[in-house]
């Protein structure tokens, strides 16, 4: 059973893996496997992007630079449009405070929905949230669609009481 804590841990692990281990593709075995599979060892430039993000995160780590401003800033500073990582993008735009609130919202919604929603609605919506979380390790999926899906769990749970 997916508990709220497990979901938040999945978010933190997925979104920090490539960012923390950005040199993982430089390991000869990993590089060999990627090249044999015909894949780009930089994960289509993501590893280069991640190497620049440390400096951006230091601009305003607590509160961020404002929702929707990361694209302009990253394009101006480095020539790329986004962080290619959901949680890092949230930190750039909303700071660590924003990421904490997003995780608290996620925990609250899952706790409430687990208690009241029937499995016919809960499991597909939860599966979609988990898919968004996993994809957020290499894409910006923690945006408005992600936030919209969480209240959907609550709305459906209230209608099924």
């Amino acid at each position: 059973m997916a508990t709220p804590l497990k979901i938040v841990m999945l978010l933190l692990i997925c979104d920090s893996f490539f960012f923390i281990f950005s040199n993982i593709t430089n390991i000869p075995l990993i590089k060999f496997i990627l090249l044999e599979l015909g894949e780009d060892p930089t994960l289509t430039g993501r590893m280069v992007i991640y190497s620049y993000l440390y400096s951006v995160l230091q601009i305003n780590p607590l509160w961020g630079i404002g929702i929707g401003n990361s694209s302009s800033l990253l394009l101006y500073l480095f020539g790329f449009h986004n962080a290619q990582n959901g949680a890092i993008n949230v930190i750039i735009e909303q700071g660590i405070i924003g990421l904490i609130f997003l995780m608290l919202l996620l925990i609250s919604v899952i706790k409430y929905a687990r208690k009241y929603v029937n499995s016919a609605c809960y499991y597909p919506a939860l599966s979609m949230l988990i898919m968004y979380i996993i994809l957020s390790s290499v894409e910006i999926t923690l945006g408005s669609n992600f936030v919209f899906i969480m209240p959907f769990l609550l709305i459906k749970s209230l209608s099924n009481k």
Side-chain angles (χ1 to χ4, degrees), residues 6-7 24 38 41 54 82 84 88 92-94 117 119 130 134 138 141 144:
K6 287 179 186 175
I7 301 293
I24 197 166
Y54 288 109
N82 62 49
Q84 294 293 313
I88 298 302
I92 291 170
E93 291 186 350
Q94 302 167 42
V117 76
S119 61
I130 291 171
I134 292 169
V138 291
T141 59
S144 56

Side-chain angles (χ1 to χ4, degrees), residues 65 68-76 80-82 89 92-93:
I65 61 170
N69 292 330
S70 66
S71 180
S72 299
L73 178 70
L74 294 174
L75 189 60
Y76 175 75
F80 49 86
H81 290 278
N82 62 49
N89 204 65
I92 291 170
E93 291 186 350

Side-chain angles (χ1 to χ4, degrees), residues 36-142:
E36 283 298 311
L37 292 173
E39 297 295 327
D40 179 6
T42 67
L43 301 178
T44 60
R46 284 176 175 85
M47 294 310 197
V48 175
I49 291 171
Y50 297 160
S51 68
Y52 287 116
L53 293 179
Y54 288 109
S55 60
V56 174
L57 290 173
Q58 295 173 10
I59 294 172
N60 194 350
L62 201 56
W63 298 103
I65 61 170
I67 295 173
N69 292 330
S70 66
S71 180
S72 299
L73 178 70
L74 294 174
L75 189 60
Y76 175 75
L77 292 176
F78 308 115
F80 49 86
H81 290 278
N82 62 49
Q84 294 293 313
N85 183 297
I88 298 302
N89 204 65
V90 169
I91 293 172
I92 291 170
E93 291 186 350
Q94 302 167 42
I96 295 168
I97 302 294
L99 184 63
I100 289 170
F101 277 112
L102 180 67
M103 289 188 298
L104 290 173
L105 176 65
L106 182 61
I107 288 170
S108 300
V109 166
I110 292 171
K111 274 185 176 180
Y112 187 84
R114 280 179 70 193
K115 189 186 291 187
Y116 295 106
V117 76
N118 66 21
S119 61
C121 173
Y122 174 73
Y123 290 112
L126 181 64
S127 298
M128 185 173 273
L129 281 176
I130 291 171
M131 180 188 70
Y132 271 62
I133 287 169
I134 292 169
L135 288 175
S136 73
S137 65
V138 291
E139 287 297 335
I140 307 297
T141 59
L142 301 182

Side-chain angles (χ1 to χ4, degrees), residues 116-118 121-122 125 151-161:
Y116 295 106
V117 76
N118 66 21
C121 173
Y122 174 73
F152 177 74
L153 281 171
L154 290 179
I155 291 167
K156 287 304 288 177
S157 68
L158 293 173
S159 67
N160 291 330
K161 273 186 166 181

